[in-house]
Amino acid sequence: MSGMLIAQIVGMVVTTILMVRSHPTLLKRLTAEPTQGRIVTSKSEWYLLQSLAGYGGMLILQTLSAALAPAALSILGLIGRLVSGLNTVVTNAIVPKLIHSGSDSDRSVARFVNIVVAISLSVASLGIVIAAGGQLPLAAQFAVVLAWFAAAVLNAAFKRVAVRFAEPRIAWISALLNALTAVSVLGAWAFGYQTLFVILLGYVLLDLLPGLALAILQRHTVAALLTAAGVIAIAALASPYLI
């Protein structure tokens, strides 16, 4: 994990240097005084609520996971880091090129999500087969990474679609679903279900449920439901082999 963290820091520094060298006026534009008064007022509050619920839910799950066995905590940290790195590339490098202020349709981003999800879940299914056949925990961990990644891509992509085409108040859906997920995990924990699978499923649902809801609202119901079913099935099948 330390190695991956160092690699992320180095990557961010190198990327920033390349961006500044490629666009010499970038720093000047970022630090320039705005030429117009602020236009956004209460609309940003919806996105603040969405962020608070998302990070708050993650904080609750991180706090609960501290009670897990060291081996389970290590596995959870490794899986989370890998998914976070993969999703960062999609969120910051690919999705913005597919859906932006000049976009008039979400067809390109929906097609991209379908391709990524299909490949991820297909390879994840192969990982489950390998884990079941040879009792290989690493293959199961790899399958969970891909399943969670599929959920994260669904969420990241359709959140951006919602920002482009929907009213800001639609962010309350993500906030509510994240809050319900955190409360559900707390409830399961209180009733004695203090396992790696419960925490891992909670993390996956923080991405899956908002992405599912937003995709359905954007009329991609079938693809979204198939994604949700595949992600949950793989997470459930992989759980016996994680430790």
Side-chain angles (χ1 to χ4, degrees):
M1 290 182 65
S2 298
M4 287 191 292
L5 179 60
I6 292 171
Q8 286 181 332
I9 294 173
V10 171
M12 287 188 291
V13 171
V14 171
T15 301
T16 302
I17 293 172
L18 291 175
M19 289 174 62
V20 172
R21 288 177 62 87
S22 301
H23 305 279
T25 62
L26 179 62
L27 289 178
K28 184 181 294 186
R29 283 186 285 141
L30 289 175
T31 57
E33 291 292 330
T35 56
Q36 298 178 350
R38 290 188 63 188
I39 299 175
V40 178
T41 55
S42 61
K43 290 183 178 180
S44 60
E45 295 173 0
W46 290 107
Y47 299 118
L48 176 61
L49 175 65
Q50 175 179 275
S51 297
L52 287 174
Y55 285 111
M58 290 180 62
L59 181 60
I60 290 173
L61 296 185
Q62 287 173 353
T63 303
L64 295 177
S65 65
L68 294 173
L73 195 57
S74 298
I75 290 172
L76 183 63
L78 179 64
I79 291 174
R81 283 286 182 183
L82 289 173
V83 174
S84 176
L86 290 170
N87 191 42
T88 297
V89 173
V90 172
T91 305
N92 296 336
I94 299 176
V95 173
K97 293 182 178 296
L98 300 176
I99 190 78
H100 44 77
S101 59
S103 301
D104 57 3
S105 170
D106 65 351
R107 286 193 299 272
S108 60
V109 74
R111 184 164 53 249
F112 168 75
V113 170
N114 290 338
I115 292 173
V116 171
V117 166
I119 294 174
S120 298
L121 295 184
S122 298
V123 179
S125 300
L126 179 61
I128 296 295
V129 173
I130 295 174
Q135 297 293 319
L136 298 175
L138 187 60
Q141 294 171 28
F142 182 65
V144 172
V145 167
L146 292 176
W148 187 354
F149 174 58
V153 169
L154 182 75
N155 187 30
F158 283 102
K159 270 185 179 177
R160 190 165 182 96
V161 170
V163 169
R164 173 67 183 93
F165 295 112
E167 291 293 325
R169 63 176 177 268
I170 202 174
W172 74 266
I173 296 175
S174 296
L176 177 62
L177 291 173
N178 285 157
L180 289 175
T181 298
V183 170
S184 298
V185 174
L186 277 172
W189 211 255
F191 281 100
Y193 296 97
Q194 301 177 1
T195 64
L196 172 61
F197 175 68
V198 170
I199 294 294
L200 185 60
L201 184 61
Y203 275 113
V204 172
L205 291 179
L206 284 178
D207 279 318
L208 181 61
L209 292 182
L212 176 63
L214 293 174
I216 290 174
L217 288 175
Q218 298 295 329
R219 299 181 180 179
H220 299 283
T221 304
V222 175
L225 290 176
L226 289 175
T227 300
V231 169
I232 294 175
I234 288 171
L237 292 171
S239 60
Y241 308 102
L242 291 181
I243 298 180

